[in-house]
Amino acid sequence: MGQIRSYVNGRFVESGRAFENIHPADGRVVGEVFEADRATVDEAVEGARRALEGPWGRLPVRDRAALLDRIADGIETRFDEFLECEIADTGKPISLASRIDIPRGAANFRVFSNIIKSSGLESFRTDTADGGSALNYAVRKPKGVIGVITPWNLPLLLLTWKVAPALACGNAVVAKPSEETPSTATLLAEVMEEVGVPPGVFNVVHGFGPESAGEFLTTHPGIDAVTFTGESATGAAILRAVAPTVKPVSFELGGKNAAIVFGDCDFEETVNGVAEAVFSNTGQVCLAAERIYVERPLFDRFVEALRVRAESLVLGWPRDPATTTGPLISGAHRDKVLSHYELAIDEGAEVVTGGGIPRFGDGRDRGFYVQPTILVGLEESARTNREEIFGPVCHIAPFDTEEEAIRNANDTRYGLAASVWTTHLKRGHRVAESLRCGITWVNCWFVRDLRTPFGGVGLSGIGREGGRHSLDFYSELNNICVKL
Ligand code: NAD
Ligand code: 6OD
């Protein structure tokens, strides 16, 4: 995208400091990002507040919904540009970005356009002491200016997942995308401008977290709520930052997700599904399965089948349609993932496949690829089974009873997602319900209905978004009680 500027109160602005945008497939510099300073963030927040006081604050729901539909149209019209930007920033395969990331960017706006149009609220007829009655009903109001902070793994998808409901509810937004993936957020700002979103309603400030745009946003007294997706440790830092101004938060954080494979599963479907849960987006998905538990009689066959799957992945250039697996996002993240590979060996793991860096003999050797990796043989208490790695790696362990599988799956401080693989209907329901997490899939993974609650327990987050749960976070309910 070349030079990448913040979008503040309807204008693209530069600043004095810039940082490089690196292409993860070969380490090339593909752009320069101007970092928003405190004054730029102030300007964005002030512009957003003014927008709320202007026509945007009085826009009827049907007009807001129509605008959301036009934003979706705008993303679809510029689909190829969004695709190019997402690929340049992340190195993810075109097959993935064109199937998941960009379509979901548009879908998020369409879905919340429909949801806001069809949403209703509760009302109660209340008996009063004088023998009469009162009518209670709630009205939904925007929360105000929402700070949206998002990570690099699914940049457009995760940004729009929050921006769409925030705008649907009539808020103004100041968004800070990850410093690793600034491009699609900037393109989204262009689309907003093209389709007539009023100045100040949607702002993008580029930069880092601490002592940069992220922190300027979370500590800003003009921000009314913070919605954040990212690491659990960052969530903790943001909680501390918002405490003095008591801002409500919605947090979608890390995971150390389990997949439980029973002996009665549909074997082919399960191997395909678990392979996707482990290796999709090079394992950089908060919902990815990093701990696989397999019923003992199936264990050896399953490990072997997953090994074959891992070794058949195509680690290629992002624009090659045959590529299934891209690089990790950065050199720093690759160092982290490789340190976990080494830790696993120190802890006594047997490496079934992978464990290192692939060699290509071309420009990809300057990129941030790692080998898809399968580990076995570790204790449940090993750090490898406790800490989120966020790479294309899993540990597989056998189990003997349903109770043992549930106990192991739940033995984590995280609690985002899980999957259960079985053809035994009652067992599927029973095990799913006994898992301590926000989302459990049975015989599938990452099948999404955007009306359903999404979020985690423990270190995996605070609150739920999706459908009316998003409306509840992005609006304030005012109950009106009328004596009849
Ligand atoms: P990260 O926490 O490092 O960064 C996320 C965002 O927060 C970035 O925009 C970053 O600049 C900003 N940030 C960092 N420190 C900040 C601070 N002190 N104040 C304000 N902002 C700050 O996460 P990441 O490395 O970009 O993403 C990977 C992590 O995100 C993984 O842990 C993954 O599990 C998690 N994640 C969770 C979900 C979910 O839905 N639960 C989805 C995607 C990713
Ligand atoms: O699908 C979604 O709405 C969502 N929030 C996915 C998160 C994926 C994590 O990497």
Side-chain angles (χ1 to χ4, degrees):
M1 219 198 181
Q3 291 197 319
I4 297 174
R5 296 171 177 80
S6 293
Y7 182 66
V8 171
N9 202 17
R11 287 184 314 120
F12 286 92
V13 297
E14 288 182 12
S15 62
R17 274 181 30 189
F19 57 93
E20 290 176 338
N21 186 20
I22 306 285
H23 182 46
D26 57 10
R28 230 172 351 117
V29 176
V30 287
E32 181 186 34
V33 190
F34 291 103
E35 184 182 358
D37 54 17
R38 196 184 285 276
T40 306
V41 175
D42 284 348
E43 204 187 319
V45 176
E46 281 157 24
R49 297 220 76 82
R50 276 199 302 281
L52 287 174
E53 288 154 17
W56 173 250
R58 296 184 292 278
L59 206 62
V61 166
R62 66 165 184 276
D63 293 350
R64 260 192 258 141
L67 200 51
L68 261 60
D69 285 331
R70 292 209 297 277
I71 298 168
D73 292 343
I75 294 174
E76 282 161 356
T77 304
R78 299 181 67 177
F79 190 94
D80 290 346
E81 287 173 78
F82 275 96
L83 199 55
E84 277 302 309
C85 284
E86 207 71 304
I87 288 171
D89 284 3
T90 62
K92 65 175 72 194
I94 192 164
S95 55
L96 185 69
S98 59
R99 187 168 48 91
I100 305 277
D101 298 67
I102 313 306
R104 254 300 291 279
N108 285 335
F109 285 101
R110 278 201 210 294
V111 165
F112 281 104
S113 163
N114 285 330
I115 288 173
I116 196 68
K117 276 186 292 198
S118 57
S119 76
L121 283 165
E122 59 195 1
S123 66
F124 296 96
R125 181 86 174 227
T126 309
D127 293 338
T128 53
D130 62 2
S133 65
L135 176 67
N136 281 283
Y137 65 96
V139 292
R140 220 179 252 296
K141 294 188 175 164
K143 218 159 205 155
V145 181
I146 310 289
V148 176
I149 301 180
T150 45
W152 44 258
N153 59 323
L154 302 164
L156 182 70
L157 186 160
L158 292 172
L159 176 73
T160 52
W161 172 239
K162 291 172 179 298
V163 170
L167 296 187
C169 292
N171 300 283
V173 164
V174 183
K176 196 208 80 65
S178 168
E179 56 274 26
E180 308 281 3
T181 52
S183 302
T184 45
T186 313
L187 211 46
L188 183 64
E190 291 183 14
V191 166
M192 296 268 182
E193 196 170 73
E194 281 160 13
V195 304
V197 175
V201 171
F202 177 71
N203 304 270
V204 179
V205 289
H206 289 297
F208 302 84
E211 295 171 30
S212 183
E215 188 181 311
F216 302 153
L217 206 52
T218 56
T219 52
H220 202 294
I223 292 286
D224 297 297
V226 173
T227 178
F228 166 73
T229 302
E231 273 192 41
S232 303
T234 311
I238 292 178
L239 263 190
R240 289 191 290 274
V242 300
T245 44
V246 198
K247 298 186 205 313
V249 296
S250 172
F251 282 175
E252 297 177 1
L253 307 177
K256 187 73 186 174
N257 310 302
I260 302 178
V261 177
F262 285 97
D264 61 15
C265 71
D266 177 322
F267 189 76
E268 279 306 307
E269 181 185 87
T270 302
V271 172
N272 289 340
V274 172
E276 207 191 333
V278 175
F279 299 119
S280 184
N281 205 35
T282 319
Q284 303 168 116
V285 182
C286 59
L287 309 158
E290 292 193 0
R291 298 179 296 140
I292 318 295
Y293 300 101
V294 182
E295 202 164 1
R296 198 175 296 276
L298 200 64
F299 182 77
D300 289 340
R301 186 174 162 220
F302 183 88
V303 172
E304 174 56 14
L306 202 66
R307 180 192 68 74
V308 171
R309 286 315 223 83
E311 291 177 1
S312 69
L313 293 170
V314 181
L315 279 62
W317 289 104
R319 286 177 188 77
D320 182 343
T323 297
T324 59
T325 309
L328 296 172
I329 189 69
S330 64
H333 188 52
R334 181 165 74 170
D335 289 347
K336 178 190 155 185
V337 170
L338 289 173
S339 77
H340 275 283
Y341 287 5
E342 281 163 26
L343 172 69
I345 291 166
D346 289 348
E347 289 186 310
E350 180 194 330
V351 180
V352 176
T353 186
I357 298 177
R359 291 289 165 214
F360 301 100
D362 60 28
R364 286 171 291 173
D365 290 335
R366 292 188 297 278
F368 312 125
Y369 290 83
V370 289
Q371 290 173 329
T373 295
I374 297 175
L375 308 164
V376 295
L378 288 175
E379 298 290 325
E380 277 304 296
S381 58
R383 277 179 53 199
T384 302
N385 278 326
R386 300 273 167 209
E387 298 173 13
E388 182 187 50
I389 303 172
F390 219 57
V393 53
C394 67
H395 177 263
I396 315 181
F399 69 87
D400 294 302
T401 65
E402 187 178 307
E403 293 69 29
E404 181 191 358
I406 293 169
R407 192 169 56 247
N408 286 340
N410 282 340
D411 188 12
T412 171
R413 294 182 65 208
Y414 291 98
L416 186 59
S419 58
V420 181
W421 302 85
T422 177
T423 52
H424 188 313
L425 183 66
K426 283 189 178 173
R427 172 187 278 153
H429 285 284
R430 187 170 63 229
V431 174
E433 215 173 303
S434 54
L435 293 175
R436 184 183 159 274
C437 57
I439 307 135
T440 307
W441 283 286
V442 180
N443 296 328
C444 58
W445 178 77
F446 207 178
V447 173
R448 295 282 289 117
D449 180 325
L450 307 186
R451 297 166 298 184
T452 58
F454 184 96
V457 305
L459 285 185
S460 291
I462 298 177
R464 295 289 180 275
E465 297 198 34
R468 71 171 175 78
H469 308 278
S470 296
L471 302 192
D472 286 345
F473 178 73
Y474 294 106
S475 55
E476 295 289 2
L477 294 181
N478 179 0
N479 186 68
I480 296 171
C481 178
V482 183
K483 178 80 170 70
L484 299 176

